[in-house]
Amino acid sequence: MRPARSLAAAALLLLAGCASHPTTAYDPYEPYNRAMFTVNDKADQWVLKPAAQGYQAVVPSPIRTGIGNFFDNLKDVYSFAFNVLRAEPEKAANDFMRVAMNTGFGLFGLIDIADQAGLKNNKTSLGDVMASWGWKSSNYFVMPFFGPSTVRDSTGLATSLVGPGPEKLIYHNSRDALAFYGVYGVSTRAKYLGAENLLDTAAVDRYSYTRDLYMQMRAKQLGQPDPTQPVDNFNLDDLVSGSDSSAPAAERKAAPAEASAPAAAVAASAAQ
C-alpha cells in the first residue's frame, strides 16, 4: 500500500505544482495537460490513426456505419438516464424512444431508424448533469486516451465507465473490455481522418488551439459564457478621473458639468 500512497501523493504534488502559476485562467494544469496532449498525439500518430486507416480501408462502409450506430445506441441509454437526473422528461422520453426503436427494429442499434423517424439525437453526459446541478465552470483537463475534457467532464466520464451500463452486458472480463473499447476507439477515430490536417494548417500551437476550441464548444453546449474571451473589468470612475487628469486644474474646476459628459457616454455604450 505504501508505494501506491506515495504515487498518489506524488501525483497530487505534481498537479499542485502545475496549478501554482497558471498562464491561462481555465488551464491551471497546463504543464501536465501539454505533456498528456503530446502522449496522446504520439499514440494517435503511431497506433490509433494507422489502425483507423486500416479499418477504413478493409471494412466496407455499410458495416462501419452499423458499428458506429451500435455504439451510438449505447450512448442513448446513458443519455436517457442522465436526462432523467437532469429532470428533462421530454428529452428523456425522446432518448427512451430512440433506444426502443433502434434496439427493437434496428437490429440492436446497427440500423439508426430513430433518425429517420425524426427523433432528436440529443446526447447528454454525466458532465452535463453536474453542470445543471451547479458545477458550472470547470478547468481544462486532458484525459489519457480520451483527450480534451474538463475536470467536471472527466469525473463524469470516469464515473460512467466504472458504474453499471449497457456495455457491461457485452463484455465480462478485462480482455473483452479492451477489445470493446479498442473497436470503439478505432471506429470513432476513423470518422475524423483528415481532421488533423486542418488542425495543422489552422494552428500555430496545436495544444492551445485544441484547448480553446473544446472550451468554446462546451460553453456553447451548456449555454455558458465563453471562457476563452476576455472579460471587460474596467472601472468607470478610474476612466473618468484619468480623462480629467489630462486637463489643466483650472479647466477641471471651471467646467465640472462638461466633465460628466464623457462618463455618461461611456456608461451608455457599456449598457448597450
Side-chain angles (χ1 to χ4, degrees):
M1 293 296 293
R2 289 183 178 179
R5 291 178 180 177
S6 300
L7 183 59
L12 289 174
L13 288 173
L14 176 61
L15 287 178
C18 292
S20 58
H21 298 289
T23 57
T24 305
Y26 51 88
D27 189 10
Y29 312 120
E30 184 172 348
Y32 158 79
N33 285 335
R34 282 188 177 272
M36 185 53 63
F37 176 83
T38 301
V39 171
N40 287 343
D41 196 46
K42 294 300 182 183
D44 177 75
Q45 179 182 353
W46 295 105
V47 179
L48 194 56
K49 181 180 176 181
Q53 290 172 329
Y55 172 80
Q56 190 178 60
V58 173
V59 180
S61 177
I63 297 180
R64 297 200 309 270
T65 300
I67 293 174
N69 290 340
F70 176 79
F71 286 115
D72 197 65
N73 190 47
L74 295 179
K75 292 180 182 179
D76 279 330
V77 177
Y78 280 104
S79 187
F80 162 72
F82 295 148
N83 275 318
V84 170
L85 293 176
R86 293 180 69 192
E88 294 278 1
E90 184 176 347
K91 291 183 177 180
N94 179 87
D95 293 334
F96 179 82
M97 290 301 299
R98 284 184 61 88
V99 173
M101 187 173 293
N102 286 336
T103 302
F105 301 101
L107 300 178
F108 296 96
L110 293 176
I111 303 174
D112 191 351
I113 299 177
D115 270 357
Q116 301 174 17
L119 291 175
K120 294 181 180 180
N121 191 340
N122 51 5
K123 294 293 185 291
T124 302
S125 68
L126 188 53
D128 297 325
V129 176
M130 294 177 177
S132 66
W133 284 356
W135 192 349
K136 299 296 183 182
S137 60
S138 184
N139 293 324
Y140 184 69
F141 184 78
V142 179
M143 296 186 68
F145 181 72
F146 291 97
S149 185
T150 63
V151 176
R152 177 198 58 232
D153 293 339
S154 60
T155 301
L157 177 58
T159 304
S160 299
L161 290 175
V162 301
E167 71 277 5
K168 305 299 191 301
L169 300 174
I170 301 173
Y171 60 81
H172 306 283
N173 53 55
S174 300
R175 183 178 62 183
D176 293 344
L178 185 62
F180 175 86
Y181 289 111
V183 173
Y184 170 74
V186 171
S187 173
T188 302
R189 182 63 180 88
K191 297 178 182 179
Y192 300 101
L193 286 173
E196 67 278 358
N197 296 330
L198 177 63
L199 182 63
D200 291 335
T201 303
V204 176
D205 182 357
R206 297 175 73 249
Y207 168 80
S208 297
Y209 185 83
T210 303
R211 175 196 64 197
D212 292 349
L213 194 63
Y214 178 83
M215 295 299 285
Q216 291 169 4
M217 177 195 71
R218 285 302 282 150
K220 184 176 182 180
Q221 289 174 341
L222 297 173
Q224 298 175 355
D226 184 355
T228 66
Q229 298 299 317
V231 179
D232 293 331
N233 293 320
F234 62 88
N235 189 310
L236 286 177
D237 293 335
D238 293 341
L239 184 62
V240 173
S241 63
S243 300
D244 292 346
S245 63
S246 61
E251 293 182 8
R252 293 201 303 271
K253 292 180 180 179
E258 293 180 4
S260 64
V266 173
S269 61
Q272 294 174 354

